[in-house]
Amino acid sequence: DAVQTLVAGQKLIIDNKPLETEFYTMLGEAYNEQKNYALSDESLEKALEISPQDATVLNNYAYFLSERGEKLEKAEAMSKLSNELRPNTNSFEDTYGWIMFMMGKYQDAKRWIEKALGHGSDNSGTVLEHYGDVLYKTGDALKALEYWQKAKQAGDGSDKLDRKILEKKLPD
């Protein structure tokens, strides 16, 4: 329903770049939820054509790519720029840390996710889970388990969180 409404609404936008950017961004997010990644990427690319310095679009697009493990170099560049445009933004720091994790740069991932935790993400299940994953990869399985349990208490971890806690390790 959201996709249909956004597509119809785009046709009504006349000479309003910020609103057009927002529509393409929401459309990209809706397509991503539907796992229609080609249309998601296309919509987010259009949003960035209109507003190439939009830190939120850069961050969200980078995060979507990192979650899919695709175009990680592109995701890294977009996330880096979003952090330069809006420093000390915890969700942006987590995104950059997660990209580092996905690229196998675990020490960099740890540093960035710790920044996110220090800037207010200490109650985010996603960030807590990410930190647990990083801790596991950096050799601290006991502390990783602690953070996975904190993530579960926060209530918004991934669908793999219970398995991580039960098996006390990252799933294969």
Side-chain angles (χ1 to χ4, degrees), residues 57-98:
V57 177
L58 288 162
N59 177 73
N60 292 355
Y61 189 10
Y63 189 73
F64 294 157
L65 292 174
S66 73
E67 282 289 286
R68 300 186 331 234
E70 296 177 1
K71 303 176 189 171
L72 293 175
E73 292 79 16
K74 179 178 184 162
E76 179 184 10
M78 288 190 296
S79 182
K80 182 179 180 196
L81 179 56
S82 73
N83 277 286
E84 290 168 358
L85 292 167
R86 292 216 338 240
N88 303 321
T89 304
N90 57 12
S91 61
F92 294 6
E93 292 165 338
D94 174 61
T95 294
Y96 194 72
W98 191 243

Side-chain angles (χ1 to χ4, degrees), residues 96-143:
Y96 194 72
W98 191 243
I99 293 165
M100 296 294 99
F101 179 86
M102 295 299 289
M103 295 175 88
K105 299 177 181 179
Y106 303 123
Q107 290 302 325
D108 290 334
K110 185 177 181 188
R111 188 172 61 252
W112 277 92
I113 295 176
E114 284 172 349
K115 285 183 183 189
L117 290 168
H119 289 132
S121 285
D122 54 333
N123 61 353
S124 165
T126 300
V127 178
L128 293 165
E129 183 177 359
H130 286 171
Y131 193 56
D133 293 358
V134 169
L135 290 168
Y136 188 85
K137 284 292 191 175
T138 57
D140 195 345
L142 193 59
K143 193 114 172 135

